[in-house]
Amino acid sequence: MIKELHFEIAEFQARLTAVKKEMATRGIKILVLSEPPNQNYLTGYNAYSFYTPQMVIVSLDHDEPIWVGRLMDRVSAAMTTYLADQNIRAYPETHVHSSVLSAYAFMADIVKEVGGEKACIGVEMGGYYYSARAHEDLTRALPLAKFVDADLLVGWVRLIKSPTEIAIMRQAGQLADVAMQRVINMVEAGVRECDIAAAIYHQQVSGRPEFGGDYPSCPPDLCIGERSIAPHAAWTDEPLPISSVVNLELSGCRHRYQVNLSRPIVVGKPSTAFQKLSEIVVEGLNAGLESVRPGRTCSEVFSAFSQALARHRIEKESRIGYPTGIAFPPASGERTASIRKGDETVLQPGMVFHMIPGLWLDNIGITISQSFAVTDRGFEPLTMTARKLFVK
């Protein structure tokens, strides 16, 4: 059977060791992971199967994690993980979307098998894929266990990427660049918004001659015309007018690692105010980027950005950046650190952020962003599209 592993087994083992160390520090014996990015990080598992109950179980006393999912997807676990066959488990298809048979009760039996019947068990209470039903079924099946919230335990371990992860994210950045360039080339009056979206999806997947891309974790944000003041707008099937603003955020995804990119494109002549605002955003963005150094905090980077904007009497309250890496629907952000006031997370080499100091004012909006990796001396940009307003 073909194995689709993108990392050496030694790297997976190092990740597991780091997670187990944090588990031991918190007094957690069993960690039950529902989030697809965390499952992928520790095992390599990659299939669009997370709409049904699916878990990775980590035990301090077990050499490997145990993947548990529906029977139909067992073959994907065999293909995409490094796990031994006995650590790939599957519940019967009768448990899928059943109101009688619980897949989580099946998983609880495996937790008991690895010594978790009376153990302290960590679960991802804030995870997108850990439902109230999941928690109720697990706690009912394991009444003697102690359940604690271990949300983001793996997320904080994931925050620092390995050289191999950074190399993959460089490729993801190239995919984002070619998708953005395709849009810049095609945008003109009369082009339908939905055709722009279609071109983005095509380019994201077809990629470059050397390598293609994966599906992204979220759709592109096409904030056009009056919707340019909205951060996360969807497209319509309307044609672009003779004069219009297109605020676009898209991404490149390679082996599930995602890099985001945002640029404004103006059809026609931009107003003097919009041109000036784009220059202010770039000034603030560059100030934030130039402040990036190991040992500095996210809050200090935000301060550098804010000071640049303050010279123009503009203030931004929301965060201007978040970490990215492995991305599955519904989002690319890692939900750990944020580049904002008061976040004292210390920057370290290997961290990757999407810095997006978007300004959405009462009647005008603009987004120009930069994804970057923290290096020993500063930052490495992961996309090369010029940080500016594009005019067509």
Side-chain angles (χ1 to χ4, degrees):
M1 180 178 291
I2 297 174
K3 281 283 187 181
E4 302 172 6
L5 291 176
H6 305 297
F7 301 93
E8 298 293 331
I9 293 177
E11 179 155 340
F12 285 113
Q13 292 172 335
R15 297 172 181 180
L16 181 62
T17 297
V19 168
K20 284 186 173 183
K21 180 179 179 181
E22 181 61 23
M23 289 169 60
T25 298
R26 300 191 190 189
I28 296 171
K29 183 177 181 180
I30 307 287
L31 181 63
V32 180
L33 298 172
S34 57
E35 291 296 275
N38 294 336
Q39 296 172 3
N40 176 276
Y41 182 73
L42 288 181
T43 71
Y45 183 74
N46 181 19
Y48 202 98
S49 56
F50 40 83
Y51 59 91
T52 57
Q54 180 176 288
M55 293 285 187
V56 163
I57 300 169
V58 179
S59 170
L60 290 181
D61 299 330
H62 206 71
D63 290 339
E64 290 183 358
I66 300 174
W67 177 91
V68 191
R70 67 185 292 192
L71 181 61
M72 182 182 294
D73 296 305
R74 192 184 192 285
V75 63
S76 291
M79 287 180 173
T80 63
T81 77
Y82 75 96
L83 302 177
D85 188 66
Q86 66 267 25
N87 293 324
I88 299 174
R89 309 291 186 90
Y91 55 82
E93 288 294 307
T94 52
H95 289 54
V96 176
H97 295 162
S98 172
S99 60
V100 179
L101 300 172
S102 171
Y104 297 104
F106 181 95
M107 295 172 184
D109 287 339
I110 299 173
V111 171
K112 293 176 184 177
E113 182 184 320
V114 295
E117 185 172 8
K118 299 180 181 180
C120 180
I121 300 174
V123 294
E124 297 176 301
M125 295 295 288
Y128 296 119
Y129 295 94
Y130 191 67
S131 66
R133 173 59 56 83
H135 191 68
E136 182 181 21
D137 286 0
L138 279 177
T139 54
R140 181 188 297 116
L142 295 162
L144 302 180
K146 176 185 177 183
F147 283 80
V148 297
D149 185 9
D151 191 35
L152 301 182
L153 185 155
V154 178
W156 284 105
V157 174
R158 285 171 46 204
L159 187 57
I160 299 177
K161 275 67 180 176
S162 70
T164 306
E165 289 179 291
I166 296 293
I168 292 173
M169 295 193 77
R170 290 191 188 104
Q171 292 184 329
Q174 293 179 49
L175 294 174
D177 278 329
V178 295
M180 183 62 74
Q181 189 59 55
R182 181 164 176 179
V183 174
I184 293 169
N185 292 343
M186 75 178 292
V187 162
E188 62 182 30
V191 174
R192 295 189 306 169
E193 295 180 16
C194 55
D195 291 329
I196 297 174
I200 293 169
Y201 274 110
H202 178 269
Q203 196 64 57
Q204 283 173 321
V205 177
S206 63
R208 298 173 56 88
E210 307 94 314
F211 53 85
D214 299 343
Y215 67 88
S217 66
C218 46
D221 294 319
L222 269 169
C223 310
I224 298 173
E226 292 184 353
R227 300 194 314 280
S228 64
I229 62 174
H232 305 114
W235 59 86
T236 73
D237 57 5
E238 292 297 313
L240 296 181
I242 294 174
S243 179
S244 184
V245 172
V246 178
N247 279 328
L248 170 62
E249 182 179 350
L250 51 72
S251 60
C253 192
R254 175 75 169 158
H255 301 322
R256 296 300 342 135
Y257 284 80
Q258 185 163 311
V259 169
N260 295 358
L261 172 63
S262 184
R263 291 292 182 273
I265 308 167
V266 169
V267 178
K269 184 178 180 180
S271 68
T272 301
F274 194 79
Q275 180 69 53
K276 178 61 176 177
L277 188 61
S278 72
E279 294 168 2
I280 292 172
V281 170
V282 171
E283 180 185 340
L285 175 60
N286 288 341
L289 290 169
E290 291 302 324
S291 74
V292 171
R293 296 284 188 283
R296 289 186 177 164
T297 66
C298 288
S299 185
E300 288 175 315
V301 174
F302 180 84
S303 178
F305 164 81
S306 297
Q307 289 172 25
L309 257 63
R311 290 193 287 270
H312 304 278
R313 298 182 180 179
I314 297 176
E315 182 179 356
K316 181 176 172 64
E317 293 183 359
S318 61
R319 67 179 183 174
I320 62 167
Y322 51 85
T324 62
I326 303 170
F328 283 81
S332 60
E334 291 186 343
R335 299 194 297 123
T336 50
S338 287
I339 303 177
R340 62 183 170 198
K341 183 178 180 180
D343 191 317
E344 299 303 320
T345 302
V346 176
L347 300 182
Q348 299 180 56
M351 291 182 177
V352 173
F353 288 88
H354 180 217
M355 189 183 292
I356 178 167
L359 292 179
W360 296 281
L361 309 178
D362 291 340
N363 57 2
I364 192 171
I366 189 167
T367 56
I368 302 175
S369 73
Q370 182 65 62
S371 289
F372 67 92
V374 180
T375 67
D376 291 335
R377 298 182 178 180
F379 77 98
E380 174 192 348
L382 295 178
T383 59
M384 300 303 168
T385 301
R387 296 193 285 272
K388 69 174 188 177
L389 166 65
F390 289 86
V391 179
K392 296 296 297 289

